[in-house]
Amino acid sequence: MFRTHTCGELRLSDVNQVVTLSGWVQRSRKMGGMTFVDLRDRYGITQLVFNEASDAALCEQANRLGREFVIQVSGTVGERFSKNANLPTGEVELIARSLRVLNGALTPPFTIEDATDGGDDIRMKYRYLDLRRPAVRKNLELRHKLTIEVRRYLDEQGFIEVETPVLVGSTPEGARDFVVPSRMNPGQFYALPQSPQTLKQLLMVSGFDRYFQIAKCFRDEDLRADRQPEFTQIDCEMSFVEQDDIIDLFEGMTKYLFRRVRGVELTEPFVRMAWADAMKYYGSDKPDLRFDMRFVELMHLLKGYGFSVFDQAAYIGGICARGAAHYTRKQLDALTDYVKRPQIGAKGLVYARVEADGTVRSSVDKFYTPEVLQQVGKAFDAQPGDLLLILSGEDAMKTRKQLSELRLEMGNRLGLRDKNRFVCLWVIDFPMFEWSEQEGRLMAMHHPFTHPKDEDIELLDTDPAAVRADAYDMVINGVEVGGGSIRIHDPQLQAKMFHILGFTPERAEQQFGFLMNAFKYGAPPHGGLAYGLDRWVSLFAGLDSIRDCIAFPKNNSGRDVMLDAPSVLEEAQLKELNLEVKL
Amino acid sequence: MFRTHTCGELRLSDVNQVVTLSGWVQRSRKMGGMTFVDLRDRYGITQLVFNEASDAALCEQANRLGREFVIQVSGTVGERFSKNANLPTGEVELIARSLRVLNGALTPPFTIEDATDGGDDIRMKYRYLDLRRPAVRKNLELRHKLTIEVRRYLDEQGFIEVETPVLVGSTPEGARDFVVPSRMNPGQFYALPQSPQTLKQLLMVSGFDRYFQIAKCFRDEDLRADRQPEFTQIDCEMSFVEQDDIIDLFEGMTKYLFRRVRGVELTEPFVRMAWADAMKYYGSDKPDLRFDMRFVELMHLLKGYGFSVFDQAAYIGGICARGAAHYTRKQLDALTDYVKRPQIGAKGLVYARVEADGTVRSSVDKFYTPEVLQQVGKAFDAQPGDLLLILSGEDAMKTRKQLSELRLEMGNRLGLRDKNRFVCLWVIDFPMFEWSEQEGRLMAMHHPFTHPKDEDIELLDTDPAAVRADAYDMVINGVEVGGGSIRIHDPQLQAKMFHILGFTPERAEQQFGFLMNAFKYGAPPHGGLAYGLDRWVSLFAGLDSIRDCIAFPKNNSGRDVMLDAPSVLEEAQLKELNLEVKL
């Protein structure tokens, strides 16, 4: 037996007990004739004491222990003289009677502390050491707890977890598939699923009624900031439901998870905001509602006074930063630089302050009378001390997105985006299609199986771009954590959708024939949604990146630097797969 | 709202309530002026009644419903005249007031009944219809329940589920890897994991202490009877443990699962049998202990009497089939044919009966005196009415395996293998190595990370083939449901193991460098095991094949005939991956 207790377990009530612990040497220090060792395992840290006076040889052995050595120690629990209130075990220590080194350790390439001296690259290469740091381990413990609670909730709601295959067929719509050559079927390839979308719809056709799966998904995309080639989805689907049934159930799940995993009670119903309103008031389909600061449109107030920038604009709008009128010229210049960064792309920033006496003073005073500026102030319901920030542009949608970035930045600067406060909302009524400049055609905004809103179906023939969908996203603190839709279950409507999306009947049949065929045998009305597990964990953990809540993530080139994967294959292996590499 | 209740929910207490149901038309029949429709969903079947006298148009609409139509019906719950005791809803019926067809259905290519008329091939092509059959759906419900309970148990025991990557590096030891070309790393490939073995060991190095994962694993093997290219493992690992710690914990889990999922109380501790004994007494490393019928060796009794088959044998042994002395010549010939089948390969079968008066009469009476045969009977502790079946051969191990097949066959014939009785055992003390004729070297019987038994470590240098391992399998009813081992945590011992297995230090470094490197930074003693989830579900479900407990299985050519995968790629896709197919 390697241990009687863990390193997080001993308390004052255990004093005088004889115990055995095993773990890693976190640090050791010699003070006079005493050697103190902090022994660490997953559960905590316990102080070991070696006394030169009572056992010189044992103490000498302890003095030779290096950082991260794995040891087993037996002895008696004693009460500490100087207690450590920061540790649950801080009132006791283990007075060592015997010591066994289970394994030595080289000096690790970075310190195993939350505030480590290791950079990203070295930590990823030695990820097995990085994972020893409590801050990283806690993220994975949180991930575990979240999935346990998701399963508990969905199981209680009658959902069945069904594993769908990882080796599937290629479905070229959307992002690129990873493919897998088949040795038994020469020249043919499986694809790894981008999501279990079509398979979960087949399960509804099968009558499974309520399905979920915590599923690995794969996308061979160029990896931007916070993407991984493999990621995990909480994937759900329900039969005989309308949009509200799904929203209600998963709003319930979200509240349950916040309560059980994060200790946060969300008592209010979540706001449900139409996509058009989200774009109008926040310039984003995932507005952060921890703070309001909604857009005010100013076209009718500011056009036609000879300020050419505004006069030529297709959109003029602004936000009101409460109490920020004291911003210095330097701070305002920094904001201007911020919106002019190429990632944001605004041409400039107009600002106005509401003075203590209520007058509004702006950076474009020479074009506007005090009365006009007063009206602008009123439009924002601005009070003395408020700062108004105004953007304009010739493309309304682009300008709104720029203003959205400015809004978020002001939220940060004014401390309105507390990571420990959570505001959830549903964005609903998404457009069915969006125009792709690249493809020169309408693309499905959600995916081609999304059901149009019943009242918009007649627009499919006359004005498809105006059709709204029964599609919804859940947004928490400005992060899209999940989304879904009611699906089409009528084969004729599905065929029409493929037609609008530019599929020939042959291509639709080739790619989705199995699904359309299945729909001919009695498909129930159904819908569902999928959450990004990685996103959700990072949100709960207060992390800026999903990478830190994944045990073995890949870098921006899709490489696992610890495993050194991917790598070249041996010639024989390629030959067996009937493949040749052409660089 | 599509329904107020499910089709499995209504009872006598609901009579007179107005309700709405949705589901599939299982069958309908017209009796006089009444039309009865059985409406099915996942939860059950409810009888609908349409009365021509009260609403002729509605009844006419009901008469046009086809099998598997999806409908929504509202009406009043009534008490049935002729109740159906076989259905939980059999005391009531829904007196329909309105009917809405939600979707039509073509006539399905086979009947949606447990006893279907569909063959394997058609059922797999239309798997979404096959999954509607309650018998198939129940297997997947069982699978769900099993994984829920596995997670509950392990979570309560302090295990953390950690997702390890699916895109990993290739590790050529063992079966063939599936590989995935990387577009971003031209000419390089990921591999899909055969198991998370090395990664879970790294998690132990990371101090995770107790890890588990229900993980998809992949093997590009030629698919024999009951293999799938992707399969699911309950994968576990623990630190600071000895073999007994692991066995105790997972014996506890097994009992918990039997109780919670199968309603079976296993009160006795599981038998622990050394591998050598399993081979000696049952000719198998996974003996079915629902019945004893252990081997009796007869070399010392039957050699040297001039019966050349026995005189030349390296092994003579038999089993005693209690009460089977009445077997006719025809039955005995059938048994002889059975053991002579090429899959088994015995040369012949010798039998002996114990007569009512205690005398033993055999098929080789002319070589043996009644006294010798009497001694043979005694060796089996045979009683009047028993049948002795004896095999011999020049290769002891092969003959034992033949005798094992005969034992199982007799178990079947004598009704000793009840699918609703479960006997679990641990087979322990496996040999460390086995000789591979094909490779001309010792191979790891479990895997190269398995820890040899401490007392056998000195044999590594002198007689490696005699070394036993801290490896163990769990066997239920003759099925190996899982297995594992204590792992090597000492980098020197691991290096020695690779040397014995014929790895050059360079190849060991290339393939397992990351693991051996990790072991230099403080690896704890650790061990674990993995269960085959598919096997376990099929065992609980009483199925003969794992295929029926997988939602979308592949056929023996590794094809998903429903999705028609794998398939050929477009030229552009291959080019992007820098690949050329050479057939």
Side-chain angles (χ1 to χ4, degrees):
Chain A
M1 195 183 47
F2 280 103
R3 61 188 174 196
T4 57
H5 295 73
T6 71
C7 296
E9 212 173 340
L10 296 174
R11 297 288 183 274
L12 265 187
S13 56
D14 298 305
V15 165
N16 291 329
Q17 254 196 273
V18 175
V19 303
T20 302
L21 300 182
S22 289
W24 285 262
V25 172
Q26 177 75 20
R27 67 177 69 80
S28 66
R29 56 198 184 285
K30 213 172 138 54
M31 293 173 72
M34 312 283 272
T35 297
F36 297 93
V37 172
D38 282 353
L39 191 68
R40 185 196 73 231
D41 66 12
R42 179 182 124 197
Y43 311 95
I45 285 181
T46 299
Q47 177 168 289
L48 314 176
V49 195
F50 297 85
N51 188 337
E52 200 179 334
S54 63
D55 190 336
L58 188 69
C59 195
E60 177 51 29
Q61 209 190 337
N63 289 337
R64 285 194 304 267
L65 294 173
R67 271 204 290 142
E68 302 303 318
F69 272 44
V70 185
I71 61 172
Q72 181 187 35
V73 180
S74 295
T76 311
V77 182
E79 182 173 357
R80 276 212 217 180
F81 288 106
S82 63
K83 299 193 168 56
N84 181 344
N86 297 321
L87 279 185
T89 60
E91 297 190 297
V92 298
E93 59 193 5
L94 177 57
I95 300 152
R97 294 274 172 272
S98 71
L99 163 64
R100 182 175 152 213
V101 175
L102 298 172
N103 225 337
L106 299 179
T107 305
F110 50 85
T111 56
I112 310 297
E113 310 268 0
D114 280 354
T116 182
D117 55 356
D120 256 26
D121 290 350
I122 191 107
R123 289 198 295 107
M124 287 304 133
K125 185 165 162 54
Y126 295 90
R127 183 64 163 173
Y128 46 85
L129 299 180
D130 194 36
L131 288 171
R132 283 186 190 165
R133 298 192 303 125
V136 183
R137 199 192 56 233
K138 284 203 172 84
N139 296 336
L140 295 179
E141 287 173 348
L142 178 70
R143 186 183 181 105
H144 164 69
K145 190 157 168 48
L146 188 66
T147 58
I148 286 280
E149 294 295 350
V150 165
R151 288 192 165 96
R152 181 168 299 161
Y153 181 86
L154 292 175
D155 180 54
E156 279 168 8
Q157 298 289 332
F159 284 74
I160 297 178
E161 185 164 26
V162 179
E163 280 179 72
T164 55
V166 172
L167 298 171
V168 297
S170 198
T171 53
E173 182 78 347
R176 280 192 196 82
D177 289 324
F178 281 107
V179 297
V180 182
S182 166
R183 192 174 47 85
M184 285 209 282
N185 300 273
Q188 301 189 21
F189 295 74
Y190 303 100
L192 303 182
Q194 295 184 28
S195 88
Q197 180 63 34
T198 51
L199 290 165
K200 72 176 174 177
Q201 292 193 246
L202 290 181
L203 287 173
M204 293 304 103
V205 174
S206 298
F208 271 72
D209 207 78
R210 295 185 159 201
Y211 143 94
F212 83 102
Q213 185 182 192
I214 299 188
K216 259 301 166 65
C217 305
F218 305 86
R219 277 182 207 165
D220 189 7
E221 284 178 335
D222 298 316
L223 301 176
R224 274 167 290 154
D226 210 21
R227 292 270 180 89
Q228 286 280 317
E230 53 180 299
F231 56 97
T232 306
Q233 233 172 249
I234 304 169
D235 192 50
C236 308
E237 197 79 2
M238 304 167 75
S239 288
F240 302 115
V241 288
E242 288 155 353
Q243 178 168 305
D244 278 356
D245 299 318
I246 297 177
I247 283 185
D248 289 345
L249 193 135
F250 287 96
E251 188 164 319
M253 180 172 99
T254 304
K255 288 177 173 175
Y256 174 86
L257 294 176
F258 267 100
R259 185 168 63 245
R260 298 275 302 188
V261 182
R262 200 53 176 70
V264 169
E265 287 288 344
L266 300 174
T267 49
E268 298 294 307
F270 297 177
V271 168
R272 298 185 192 185
M273 186 183 292
W275 178 87
D277 287 339
M279 297 311 293
K280 182 175 178 185
Y281 294 120
Y282 303 98
S284 166
D285 58 5
K286 40 178 195 278
D288 182 349
L289 293 194
R290 277 175 296 184
F291 61 112
D292 188 27
M293 209 186 279
R294 61 166 64 191
F295 296 0
V296 172
E297 291 191 12
L298 303 166
M299 293 282 281
H300 60 296
L301 289 176
L302 295 177
K303 258 188 177 271
Y305 290 93
F307 179 40
S308 66
V309 172
F310 282 179
D311 287 352
Q312 286 156 26
Y315 179 86
I316 311 169
I319 52 174
C320 174
R322 304 277 168 208
H326 60 82
Y327 263 40
T328 62
R329 181 61 192 246
K330 202 176 150 194
Q331 284 175 301
L332 291 163
D333 284 350
L335 278 183
T336 306
D337 289 346
Y338 179 81
V339 296
K340 286 168 87 173
R341 290 160 59 196
Q343 304 95 304
I344 299 182
K347 295 239 174 72
L349 172 67
V350 168
Y351 56 85
R353 293 189 178 90
V354 186
E355 307 285 356
D357 62 3
T359 59
V360 179
R361 302 287 302 273
S362 83
S363 56
V364 288
D365 272 5
K366 61 176 166 177
F367 296 105
Y368 297 100
T369 62
E371 290 69 34
V372 171
L373 292 175
Q374 206 60 41
Q375 280 182 295
V376 168
K378 247 188 206 149
F380 285 99
D381 192 22
Q383 306 300 318
D386 289 351
L387 175 69
L388 311 178
L389 299 168
I390 299 168
L391 292 184
S392 67
E394 287 161 33
D395 179 324
M397 204 50 113
K398 275 189 189 161
T399 311
R400 284 197 180 98
K401 284 181 182 166
Q402 292 159 359
L403 192 53
S404 168
E405 295 293 335
L406 179 62
R407 175 180 175 273
L408 293 176
E409 176 65 15
M410 283 314 295
N412 285 336
R413 287 179 186 233
L414 298 175
L416 303 173
R417 304 180 74 191
D418 177 358
K419 281 191 175 173
N420 290 309
R421 243 193 93 219
F422 297 94
V423 179
C424 310
L425 90 150
W426 292 98
V427 177
I428 59 176
D429 298 350
F430 274 79
M432 186 73 216
F433 306 103
E434 57 188 342
W435 180 259
S436 164
E437 292 294 344
Q438 204 184 334
E439 303 267 330
R441 63 173 175 101
L442 289 177
M443 307 274 282
M445 195 161 191
H446 197 66
H447 55 55
F449 315 112
T450 304
H451 200 289
K453 290 197 101 58
D454 280 332
E455 59 266 39
D456 290 359
I457 283 182
E458 55 183 20
L459 293 174
L460 282 173
D461 294 315
T462 55
D463 185 8
V467 174
R468 294 164 307 155
D470 281 333
Y472 34 82
D473 276 357
M474 182 186 278
V475 175
I476 305 181
N477 291 3
V479 175
E480 182 219 316
V481 292
S485 65
I486 297 294
R487 328 298 183 184
I488 297 168
H489 64 278
D490 170 4
Q492 268 137 42
L493 184 57
Q494 185 66 67
K496 180 174 220 165
M497 198 58 64
F498 283 134
H499 173 71
I500 295 173
L501 291 169
F503 284 73
T504 61
E506 294 72 32
R507 223 183 107 220
E509 172 61 31
Q510 191 199 335
Q511 280 181 35
F512 300 111
F514 64 95
L515 187 66
M516 289 196 294
N517 208 31
F519 280 6
K520 293 176 189 152
Y521 290 95
H526 62 288
L529 87 180
Y531 288 104
L533 176 64
D534 310 293
R535 287 258 169 93
W536 207 328
V537 177
S538 69
L539 187 86
F540 270 21
L543 297 171
D544 294 318
S545 157
I546 61 168
R547 197 178 290 177
D548 282 327
C549 60
I550 295 171
F552 300 105
K554 295 192 172 50
N555 71 10
N556 282 344
S557 315
R559 293 198 70 79
D560 185 321
V561 293
M562 180 188 73
L563 298 177
D564 196 23
S567 61
V568 295
L569 293 186
E570 286 172 24
E571 205 48 52
Q573 220 173 338
L574 285 170
K575 207 167 168 186
E576 220 177 27
L577 295 168
N578 303 287
L579 288 181
E580 220 164 78
V581 171
K582 290 268 172 192
L583 292 182
Chain B
M1 195 183 46
F2 281 100
R3 62 187 173 195
T4 57
H5 294 74
T6 71
C7 295
E9 212 174 338
L10 296 174
R11 298 287 184 277
L12 265 187
S13 55
D14 299 305
V15 165
N16 292 327
Q17 253 196 272
V18 174
V19 303
T20 302
L21 301 182
S22 289
W24 286 260
V25 173
Q26 176 75 22
R27 67 177 69 80
S28 66
R29 58 200 182 285
K30 214 172 137 52
M31 293 173 69
M34 311 284 272
T35 297
F36 297 93
V37 172
D38 282 352
L39 190 68
R40 183 196 74 230
D41 66 10
R42 179 183 124 196
Y43 312 95
I45 285 180
T46 300
Q47 178 168 289
L48 313 176
V49 195
F50 298 85
N51 189 336
E52 202 178 332
S54 62
D55 189 338
L58 188 70
C59 196
E60 177 51 29
Q61 208 190 339
N63 288 337
R64 285 195 305 268
L65 294 173
R67 271 205 288 143
E68 302 303 318
F69 272 43
V70 184
I71 61 171
Q72 182 187 35
V73 180
S74 296
T76 311
V77 182
E79 183 172 355
R80 278 212 215 179
F81 289 107
S82 64
K83 299 193 169 55
N84 181 345
N86 297 321
L87 279 184
T89 60
E91 297 189 299
V92 298
E93 59 194 5
L94 177 56
I95 301 153
R97 294 277 172 270
S98 71
L99 163 64
R100 182 176 153 212
V101 174
L102 299 171
N103 225 337
L106 300 179
T107 305
F110 50 86
T111 56
I112 310 295
E113 309 267 0
D114 281 354
T116 183
D117 55 357
D120 257 26
D121 291 349
I122 191 105
R123 290 197 295 108
M124 287 303 133
K125 185 164 162 53
Y126 295 89
R127 181 64 164 172
Y128 45 85
L129 298 180
D130 194 36
L131 289 171
R132 283 186 191 166
R133 298 192 301 126
V136 183
R137 199 192 55 236
K138 284 204 172 84
N139 297 336
L140 295 180
E141 288 174 346
L142 178 71
R143 187 183 181 104
H144 165 69
K145 191 160 168 46
L146 188 66
T147 58
I148 284 280
E149 294 295 350
V150 165
R151 287 191 166 95
R152 181 168 298 162
Y153 181 86
L154 292 175
D155 180 54
E156 279 168 7
Q157 298 288 332
F159 283 75
I160 297 177
E161 184 163 26
V162 180
E163 280 180 70
T164 55
V166 171
L167 299 171
V168 297
S170 196
T171 52
E173 181 78 347
R176 279 192 199 79
D177 289 323
F178 281 107
V179 297
V180 181
S182 167
R183 193 175 46 86
M184 285 210 282
N185 300 273
Q188 300 190 21
F189 294 74
Y190 302 100
L192 303 181
Q194 297 186 26
S195 90
Q197 180 63 34
T198 51
L199 290 165
K200 72 176 173 176
Q201 293 193 244
L202 289 181
L203 287 173
M204 294 302 105
V205 174
S206 298
F208 271 71
D209 209 81
R210 293 185 161 202
Y211 143 94
F212 83 101
Q213 184 182 193
I214 300 188
K216 261 297 168 67
C217 304
F218 305 85
R219 279 183 205 164
D220 190 8
E221 285 178 336
D222 298 316
L223 300 176
R224 274 168 290 156
D226 209 21
R227 291 269 179 90
Q228 287 280 316
E230 52 180 302
F231 56 97
T232 305
Q233 231 171 253
I234 306 169
D235 192 50
C236 308
E237 197 79 4
M238 305 167 75
S239 288
F240 301 115
V241 288
E242 289 155 353
Q243 176 169 306
D244 278 357
D245 298 318
I246 297 177
I247 283 185
D248 288 346
L249 193 136
F250 287 95
E251 189 165 320
M253 180 172 99
T254 304
K255 288 177 172 174
Y256 173 86
L257 294 175
F258 267 100
R259 186 168 63 247
R260 299 274 302 188
V261 183
R262 199 54 177 68
V264 169
E265 287 287 344
L266 300 175
T267 48
E268 298 294 307
F270 297 176
V271 168
R272 298 185 191 184
M273 186 184 292
W275 178 88
D277 286 340
M279 297 311 293
K280 182 174 177 182
Y281 294 120
Y282 302 99
S284 167
D285 57 5
K286 40 177 194 280
D288 182 349
L289 294 194
R290 278 175 294 183
F291 62 112
D292 188 28
M293 209 186 280
R294 61 167 65 192
F295 297 179
V296 173
E297 290 191 12
L298 303 166
M299 294 282 281
H300 61 293
L301 290 177
L302 294 177
K303 257 186 177 270
Y305 290 92
F307 179 41
S308 65
V309 172
F310 282 178
D311 288 351
Q312 285 156 27
Y315 178 86
I316 311 168
I319 52 175
C320 174
R322 304 277 168 209
H326 61 82
Y327 263 40
T328 62
R329 180 59 190 245
K330 202 176 151 195
Q331 283 174 302
L332 290 164
D333 284 349
L335 278 183
T336 306
D337 289 346
Y338 179 81
V339 298
K340 284 167 91 172
R341 291 161 58 196
Q343 304 95 304
I344 299 183
K347 296 240 175 71
L349 171 66
V350 168
Y351 56 85
R353 292 190 181 88
V354 187
E355 308 285 355
D357 63 1
T359 58
V360 179
R361 302 288 303 271
S362 82
S363 57
V364 288
D365 272 3
K366 63 177 166 176
F367 296 105
Y368 297 98
T369 62
E371 290 70 33
V372 170
L373 292 174
Q374 205 62 40
Q375 280 180 297
V376 168
K378 248 190 205 146
F380 286 98
D381 192 22
Q383 306 300 318
D386 289 352
L387 175 70
L388 310 179
L389 299 167
I390 299 167
L391 292 183
S392 67
E394 285 159 35
D395 179 321
M397 203 52 111
K398 276 189 189 159
T399 310
R400 284 197 179 99
K401 285 180 183 169
Q402 293 159 359
L403 191 54
S404 168
E405 295 294 336
L406 179 61
R407 175 180 174 271
L408 293 175
E409 176 64 16
M410 284 312 297
N412 285 336
R413 290 180 182 233
L414 298 176
L416 303 173
R417 303 181 73 190
D418 177 0
K419 280 192 176 172
N420 290 309
R421 243 194 92 219
F422 296 93
V423 179
C424 311
L425 90 149
W426 293 98
V427 177
I428 57 175
D429 300 350
F430 273 79
M432 186 73 216
F433 306 102
E434 57 187 343
W435 180 258
S436 163
E437 292 293 344
Q438 203 183 338
E439 301 268 330
R441 64 172 174 99
L442 288 177
M443 306 277 280
M445 195 160 190
H446 197 66
H447 56 54
F449 315 111
T450 304
H451 201 288
K453 290 198 101 57
D454 279 332
E455 59 266 38
D456 289 359
I457 282 183
E458 56 183 22
L459 293 174
L460 282 173
D461 294 314
T462 55
D463 185 9
V467 173
R468 293 165 306 155
D470 281 333
Y472 34 83
D473 275 358
M474 183 187 277
V475 175
I476 305 181
N477 291 2
V479 175
E480 181 217 317
V481 292
S485 65
I486 297 294
R487 327 299 183 185
I488 297 168
H489 64 278
D490 170 5
Q492 268 136 44
L493 184 57
Q494 187 65 66
K496 181 175 219 163
M497 198 59 62
F498 283 134
H499 173 72
I500 295 173
L501 290 168
F503 284 73
T504 60
E506 293 71 33
R507 222 182 109 222
E509 172 61 31
Q510 192 201 332
Q511 280 181 33
F512 300 110
F514 64 96
L515 186 66
M516 290 197 292
N517 207 31
F519 281 5
K520 293 176 188 153
Y521 290 96
H526 62 287
L529 88 180
Y531 287 104
L533 175 64
D534 310 294
R535 288 257 171 93
W536 207 328
V537 177
S538 68
L539 187 86
F540 268 22
L543 298 170
D544 294 318
S545 157
I546 62 169
R547 196 177 291 177
D548 283 327
C549 59
I550 295 171
F552 300 105
K554 296 192 171 50
N555 72 10
N556 283 342
S557 316
R559 293 199 70 81
D560 185 321
V561 293
M562 180 188 73
L563 299 177
D564 196 23
S567 60
V568 295
L569 293 186
E570 286 172 24
E571 205 49 52
Q573 217 174 340
L574 285 170
K575 207 168 168 187
E576 220 178 27
L577 295 168
N578 303 288
L579 288 182
E580 218 165 78
V581 171
K582 290 270 172 189
L583 292 181

